Amino acid sequence: PHDLLLICEQALGAGEIEIAEKFYPRLNDIEQCIYQFRVAQRNNQAELAQNHLTSALQKSRSKESRDHLLEARIRMEWGILRASLGEFEAAGIDLKWAIDRLSSISEGHRWHGIALLNMAEWHQSRGELGMALALHAEISRHGPHLIEIVSISRRRAAEILIEKNHVYSAIRNLWIAHHGFRQTNMIEEAIEAGLHWIDLGLTEVSNNAPEMDTAIESAATRSAGE
């Protein structure tokens, strides 16, 4: 569902306005509001963006056009928007609501993965690194989340682990991110993750070190203080 909305948003982000406008008339009322929200957001029209998002949320909750998946997506967007406005507590509530709804109706959906990434970022911005890592841990590399989501998650988790001086775990996460990005043709991201992996790995080189695939497969939860 909502493939045309995804096409319109991707076309808009790539600057392919003609493609977006071609499919726009085929969007439903809620999707059109979301698209108009994205247009206003790109044009830095904050008030107009909020108006379109409010309209989309109302329509997604109405008896005539109720759509639980879109409602969760809209609540996620509200969370991001409120965070940008400095309304951090309200942002956290919206993001948590979106995650709970998406996990119950479509676990592994791209919007579910994006909501988890945003919730982790919310915790990280508040200095709650442990909570952020816990959110990233919910995105398993074995699925059901998309490889792109897993790769972004591992890249961000590595940044947190470096900050906590857990270099070995950071290296492992960068390796997973590098190969995930390569697999999905996200070349620039793959190069960045790969170079960061090399940079960290060169700090301690040993002939006795296990291969990365072995280190990843044998990774397990550690006890407190370990």
Side-chain angles (χ1 to χ4, degrees), residues 123-140:
H123 280 297
Q124 188 173 350
S125 70
R126 293 161 59 90
E128 300 167 352
L129 303 185
M131 290 297 295
L133 286 173
L135 265 295
H136 286 299
E138 292 187 27
I139 303 176
S140 171

Side-chain angles (χ1 to χ4, degrees), residues 22-171:
K22 177 181 179 180
F23 289 105
Y24 176 79
R26 296 170 59 183
L27 302 179
N28 64 37
D29 289 345
I30 309 170
E31 293 171 331
Q32 287 186 352
C33 287
I34 294 174
Y35 179 80
Q36 290 300 330
F37 153 73
R38 186 67 71 211
V39 171
Q41 189 180 47
R42 283 176 57 86
N43 294 331
N44 292 319
Q45 298 170 307
E47 186 174 349
L48 184 59
Q50 292 181 61
N51 290 339
H52 284 304
L53 204 56
T54 299
S55 180
L57 186 59
Q58 292 172 345
K59 291 178 180 180
S60 71
R61 290 171 168 173
S62 68
K63 185 181 298 185
E64 296 77 20
S65 57
R66 187 70 193 257
D67 189 315
H68 296 288
L69 188 60
L70 282 180
E71 182 185 7
R73 158 71 191 278
I74 295 163
R75 288 293 294 271
M76 179 187 71
E77 295 290 354
W78 262 120
I80 299 169
L81 187 61
R82 286 194 166 114
S84 69
L85 295 172
E87 302 172 6
F88 295 111
E89 295 302 325
I93 293 172
D94 281 324
L95 289 170
K96 181 67 166 61
W97 192 98
I99 288 173
D100 291 342
R101 174 59 62 86
L102 287 165
S103 65
S104 65
I105 63 175
S106 190
E107 184 179 9
H109 190 283
R110 68 187 68 214
W111 294 342
H112 180 221
I114 293 171
L116 285 168
L117 290 175
N118 279 301
M119 188 85 239
E121 193 75 15
W122 181 82
H123 280 297
Q124 188 173 350
S125 70
R126 293 161 59 90
E128 300 167 352
L129 303 185
M131 290 297 295
L133 286 173
L135 265 295
H136 286 299
E138 292 187 27
I139 303 176
S140 171
R141 65 187 178 88
H142 299 297
H145 292 283
L146 298 173
I147 298 173
E148 294 90 336
I149 297 292
V150 174
S151 302
I152 294 170
S153 173
R154 294 300 177 268
R155 179 69 182 85
R156 293 184 179 179
E159 294 173 0
I160 298 173
L161 290 163
I162 292 169
E163 188 173 345
K164 293 173 68 69
N165 201 32
H166 294 173
V167 177
Y168 183 74
S169 296
I171 289 175

Side-chain angles (χ1 to χ4, degrees), residues 2 10 59 65 131 178 184 206 219:
H2 312 303
Q10 290 174 4
K59 291 178 180 180
S65 57
M131 290 297 295
H178 169 71
T184 53
S206 169

Side-chain angles (χ1 to χ4, degrees), residues 167 171 174 194-206 212:
V167 177
I171 289 175
L174 286 168
L195 288 174
H196 205 171
W197 174 81
I198 291 172
D199 186 45
L200 286 179
L202 287 176
T203 60
E204 187 173 345
V205 179
S206 169
M212 286 306 306

